[in-house]
Amino acid sequence: MTGYDVIGVYMNNWDVVDENGMCSAERDCEDAYRVCKKLDIPFHQVSYIKEYWHDVFSNFLNEYERGRTPNPDILCNRHIKFNYLLSYAIDNLGADGIATGHYARTSQDEEEAFQQKYIPNPPSLFRNRFEVRNDVRLLQAADRIKDQTFFLSQISQYALRKTIFPIGGLTKDFVKKMAAEAGFHHVLQRKESMGICFIGERNFENFILEYLEPQPGNFVSIEDGRIMGRHQGWFLYTLGQRARIGGQRDAWFVVDKDVSTATVYVAPCTNHPALFRDLLRTDRVHWLSEDPPPELIENKMMDCYFRFQHQMALVPCVLTLNQDGTVWVTLAKPLRALTPGQFAVFYKDEECLGSGKIMRLGPSQYTLQQGREKMKSAASVTTEPVKEKDPVS
């Protein structure tokens, strides 16, 4: 970034050491400070530990208790980075906007982002229909492999207007080359973070059991109802995951969960039809433009693309808009391990439109297969010719 007065801000949202007794936040803060010192720019530190716990982590635990699998990274961006941090930058530091290192782009020029005046969000829940708007669109990064629009799919239109993504038009390799030439070798030597946002890479079962009480239950075969073993809690497993079942030599995979009975249903292979579905329903969709796309409003249906995991290939789908703002998503092909609690993120061309949390799933291919077999069996019984009785002499 050239031509701007820049302030570096480090944000800490978590204060617990990792399994090795090291506080990764301290290392991160030190790295950020060294970068700012080398660039000769001011350095500030802010803490949102309380806010993160209230707005992100509490939701994280509640979702697992309900049998869903949350995505805290998306919520962290929505509630913390592009809300509290953005407000801090504008209100406390006098900044015109923020720049982050996400691999993403927007439809506005950098200058536009910093020329817009700070206007508080309107108290009304609905947009003024007579207001002329030129919404900023969120676009995929030039490096499609590193594209991070998935994680930005819940941020507000206001945040999008006040943010620039300086590396969105660059590849990761080129960014690394620039960092090396600038002398930031201490950053390049770090491993890329792949863990849960601000929690890091740690043993998930040990971590979650620090906060949730064990809820023992049975592993049950989806095919014949046999009890295959015991588990310590349905929240320790997500759909598609291999289930560690004591005494079982073969691999079994989680295909469904029943929180009311603490039952985790399993199937004997990774591509079992019980794992594949082509229909889901979201909660009220968060559209980055604040309103659904005009085509969807007009026709109540729209073709677009879908993903529910970062970096998964985009899948063609049809959205059906419901009156409450939720959508049904019909996929062009069944996908493995669609998971309640994850976010369905929608794309059209290179634009990320927004996302909604997956709340309900349609029937699995296994359920549909069973239904067809029952109908076929019933039909064969009803069409079987009735034998006439011998006349009584």
Side-chain angles (χ1 to χ4, degrees), residues 300-311:
K300 305 303 179 187
M301 299 180 73
M302 184 182 76
D303 293 332
C304 64
Y305 288 85
F306 156 93
R307 64 164 51 116
F308 73 101
Q309 293 174 332
H310 175 48
Q311 293 186 331

Side-chain angles (χ1 to χ4, degrees), residues 68-366:
R68 298 194 282 259
T69 303
N71 190 319
D73 293 353
I74 288 179
L75 294 183
C76 181
N77 280 327
R78 174 178 178 169
H79 294 294
I80 310 298
K81 185 173 293 181
F82 292 90
N83 181 24
Y84 293 116
L85 180 64
L86 175 61
S87 296
Y88 172 81
I90 293 172
D91 297 340
N92 294 70
L93 301 180
D96 295 309
I98 62 172
T100 76
H102 289 93
Y103 283 88
R105 297 178 297 129
T106 70
S107 59
Q108 72 178 350
D109 294 332
E110 288 186 359
E111 289 77 11
E112 292 181 278
F114 297 140
Q115 288 172 357
Q116 299 192 38
K117 294 181 179 179
Y118 175 47
I119 303 173
N121 290 331
S124 171
L125 294 176
F126 302 100
R127 175 189 291 192
N128 181 351
R129 297 295 175 178
F130 298 101
E131 181 185 0
V132 178
R133 293 283 295 261
N134 183 23
D135 292 325
V136 175
R137 296 180 297 131
L138 179 64
L139 307 177
Q140 289 180 281
D143 190 334
R144 293 300 170 89
I145 295 176
K146 291 297 181 182
D147 174 64
Q148 292 177 302
T149 53
F150 178 87
F151 298 113
L152 302 172
S153 61
Q154 284 274 314
I155 70 174
S156 69
Q157 172 65 204
Y158 174 74
L160 201 56
R161 287 174 174 273
K162 302 297 289 185
T163 303
I164 64 172
F165 303 108
I167 64 174
L170 309 176
T171 64
K172 183 67 175 280
D173 289 340
F174 189 77
V175 172
K176 285 185 173 181
K177 181 181 177 183
M178 291 175 62
E181 291 174 352
F184 298 134
H185 301 289
H186 68 287
V187 178
L188 291 172
Q189 291 168 0
R190 296 186 48 164
K191 290 196 306 180
E192 191 170 347
S193 175
M194 300 298 288
I196 293 173
C197 180
F198 296 108
I199 297 173
E201 298 179 53
R202 60 181 71 201
N203 182 287
F204 176 77
E205 182 170 336
N206 293 341
F207 174 78
I208 201 72
L209 286 174
E210 291 179 15
Y211 300 94
L212 298 179
E213 291 291 328
Q215 300 286 343
N218 293 324
F219 287 114
V220 175
S221 169
I222 194 71
E223 294 187 339
D224 55 20
R226 281 184 302 147
I227 295 177
M228 309 302 298
R230 297 281 291 172
H231 63 76
Q232 291 301 304
W234 62 83
F235 46 78
L236 298 174
Y237 300 92
T238 190
L239 302 192
Q241 176 184 348
R242 180 171 178 172
R244 298 188 303 277
I245 306 176
Q248 297 293 330
R249 293 171 54 190
D250 298 327
W252 288 77
F253 295 85
V254 177
V255 298
D256 206 353
K257 296 187 287 186
D258 185 344
V259 174
S260 65
T261 60
T263 300
V264 175
Y265 292 96
V266 293
C269 64
T270 185
N271 287 320
H272 193 279
L275 275 170
F276 287 82
R277 304 170 193 260
D278 60 8
L279 181 66
L280 63 93
R281 184 170 181 165
T282 69
D283 65 359
R284 185 180 182 88
V285 174
H286 172 82
W287 302 104
L288 289 164
S289 63
E290 297 184 347
D291 287 330
E295 179 185 349
L296 186 57
I297 294 176
E298 182 178 351
N299 302 325
K300 305 303 179 187
M301 299 180 73
M302 184 182 76
D303 293 332
C304 64
Y305 288 85
F306 156 93
R307 64 164 51 116
F308 73 101
Q309 293 174 332
H310 175 48
Q311 293 186 331
M312 71 171 279
L314 289 171
V315 176
C317 69
V318 176
L319 303 186
T320 304
L321 181 64
N322 301 310
Q323 287 187 342
D324 60 358
T326 66
V327 297
W328 282 104
V329 184
T330 306
L331 305 176
K333 63 178 182 179
L335 287 184
R336 182 183 184 275
L338 289 171
T339 306
Q342 292 289 289
F343 282 88
V345 182
F346 306 116
Y347 293 82
K348 189 93 168 178
D349 299 324
E350 62 178 356
E351 180 181 0
C352 177
L353 301 173
S355 63
K357 184 165 64 178
I358 299 174
M359 303 301 290
R360 290 177 57 187
L361 300 177
S364 71
Q365 296 299 296
Y366 181 68

